[in-house]
Amino acid sequence: MSNNPSPGASAPKPIRKPGSQIIVDTLIEQGVDTMFGYLGGVVLPIFDKIYDSPINFVIPRHEQGGCHMADAYARATGKPGVIIATSGPGATNLITGLATAMMDSVPLIALTGQVRTDLIGNDAFQEADITGITRPITKHNVILKDTKDVAQTLREAFHIATTGRPGPVLIDIPVDVAMGEAEVTPPEKIKLPGYKIRHRGHSRQVTTAANAINNSLRPVLYVGGGVIASGAFDELRMLAEKAHIPVTTTLLGLGAWDQTKEGSLDMLGMHGAAYANYAVQDADLLIAVGARFEDRVTGKLKTFATNATTIHIDIDPSSISKNVRVDIPVVGDAKQTLSELARQVEYRERKEWFDKIAEWKEKFPLFYDRNADTIKPQYVIEELYNQTKDSEATIVTGVGQHQMWAAQFYKYSRPRQLITSGGLGTMGFGLPAAIGAQVARPGKLVIDIDGDSSFNMTLQELATAVQYELPVKVVLLNNGYMGMVRQWQELFYNKRYSCSYLTNPNFAKLAQAFGAAGITVEDKSAVPGAIEQMLKETKPCVVDFRVEPEENVWPMVPAGKSLHEMDGLDIFESMA
Amino acid sequence: MKHILSALVQNEPGVLAHVSGMFAARAFNIDSLAVGRTDDPKLSRMTIVVVGDDRMVEQVRKQLAKIVSVVKVQDFAGKDTVARDLMLLSVAAPAEKRPEIFALIEMFNAKVVDIGPKFVMVEVSGPEAKIEAFIEACKPYGVKNVARTGTIAMPRQPRSNSQE
């Protein structure tokens, strides 16, 4: 070992350290400078070492909030987020956050405390089988049994969380493992015989795909969060521009293509733009990249893109042909594969195709009644966009109608600009995620576009924002309902609004009680001024917009219908 | 169609739970599952029999391979494979029926592993169909208990140097 040079390990005698110190040292070695977490008995040894470390630590008000913060930190930076929680209830409070990160492929390291190894399985105080509980919602998880494995297991966890299709990895640490001592060992080569990633797409498949693109008349690029995760923004642009292909994105793909530029079809799917859905249904070639053909995107599977040959580029082989039959599968990293494709494709004019798309865009734009006297939620978002488009704002959302309007009426031009819970649809994600994003981007504008019901679920994290002086802005589209649920009840349950109405607090006053700023807006004319005031505010700020209570998200592909069978387009006919 | 999947997995706690949990979470039905160590103490082999169409089995295979502690997955469908079940079976064997039962045991190339006053315990191995046939043949005498391993399988060697 002495002739194996490694930084800081030149001493001839091996150094022994407590497991808790090894944990903190290894986190720092892995590049961690920021962590989120909540204390508890069995993680105290680790917190004791964090006390002396340079790590910037954020304590949420609930472990779920902490997990969403770490998740959003990862989505904002591309680096893994780190969350620590204690055993039992601390650990189980991470579940929603872990499942959210898993569904959206977010690199996350969760450290949980566990009772002493000799107590495990005895129903000890605050014991939960957290590796058992989180097995289906983590990319990988392990329970540490020996202090000597601490460093290497952590290194493996970072490797697994951040490579291939990223995801959350949980390490369960019994308190005696954290307190025990072991020799400090330098990083070894990661040896995981069951973990292989194919970065380079099969060259013959890539060429087949390039030929299909060259031969197509009506191609559409359908782009998901994988393009953002692999940092393939430039490569996507190269391919789309060189081959002249319009781009539509999933919710998580928003920002992978500059929506203010030509060739953008905006979002597709259940609440996607009509022109995106028509283009997909009419396409003769669909090039799916880092997207997984989720049911919210495809509508009725049997009738999805039936005119198209399908190319699917994904790093996860199990995503390919899971939902739709794929003609040309390419297992590989989006960045590498798109760059290789861009090299092989040729420019084609495709004027007819772009003319047809322009016609759809003209005929069926994203729409709402701009002349209404009430505050339309879409108007708030448009106004917010107009006031923030030049300021590199990060938009975070909760889940529900407001999220769909944020997807439709804000225009994203940069990857990682929108942070939202896609796969799991986690209500309550907005505020804690905004806090995580603000920690990642100090000094930058971070806005949570939220709904009242979603905000209600995690609003106690306002205290975290106040404590750490994180000036997040909350644009609350308050319609007094669980809006999306109410919309479904209106459309599919004969307006029987069973249990979808909640009495809300006065959010502005509540914000003030937390030490944040709060503004209530009841008049349409006050909207621009309130946004202006919010943007000037140096404290965390909640603006409670009392919006039109029964506004719906249009267009909408009802569940089980085909992508082109959208409701809500009659509004265009009534305009004519 | 029945597929035999063979998964080489790391011999660690929790791996079986991970594999069976994946099946349960994705609503794949396991027909049989047999696990045992290999010659390498760090590795175990799971032989998993699933029934389903090609697309479903393809998804099972990919999801299995995705599990970090699963090292390698093979689908033996369409391959010339040796597949075996092992069974222990107790059958009622009164003195007057014993010659018949012993003849049966011999026909099936089975082995008597325990004899009591009323029952004999028999060990049989072979392809699943043979095991099923032996159970059927014993039924008229009265089958008391059956314990089966589930299928284990390996592809045959190429060319003619196979073991059977």
Side-chain angles (χ1 to χ4, degrees), chain A residues 457-469:
Chain A
M457 286 191 173
T458 51
L459 56 75
Q460 78 276 21
E461 300 300 345
L462 273 176
T464 310
V466 170
Q467 178 178 344
Y468 294 94
E469 297 177 2

Side-chain angles (χ1 to χ4, degrees), chain A residues 540-562:
Chain A
C541 178
V542 177
V543 191
D544 179 6
F545 291 96
R546 305 286 170 83
V547 299
E548 165 80 42
E550 296 191 54
E551 181 67 12
N552 286 337
V553 183
W554 301 120
M556 176 178 189
V557 179
K561 285 284 174 67
S562 305

Side-chain angles (χ1 to χ4, degrees), chain B residues 59-79:
Chain B
Q59 188 56 215
V60 170
R61 197 184 59 72
K62 286 174 173 174
Q63 293 291 351
L64 261 179
K66 202 165 145 178
I67 296 170
V68 171
S69 32
V70 173
V71 178
K72 192 179 177 187
V73 184
Q74 287 170 283
D75 183 354
F76 292 155
K79 285 195 181 131

Side-chain angles (χ1 to χ4, degrees), chain B residues 64-106:
Chain B
L64 261 179
K66 202 165 145 178
I67 296 170
V68 171
S69 32
V70 173
V71 178
K72 192 179 177 187
V73 184
Q74 287 170 283
D75 183 354
F76 292 155
K79 285 195 181 131
D80 189 5
T81 309
V82 179
R84 291 287 178 272
D85 280 35
L86 174 68
M87 172 172 71
L88 294 175
L89 176 146
S90 278
V91 59
E96 69 275 16
K97 297 279 186 193
R98 288 200 177 194
E100 274 176 48
I101 290 171
F102 286 165
L104 194 65
I105 289 166
E106 199 162 317

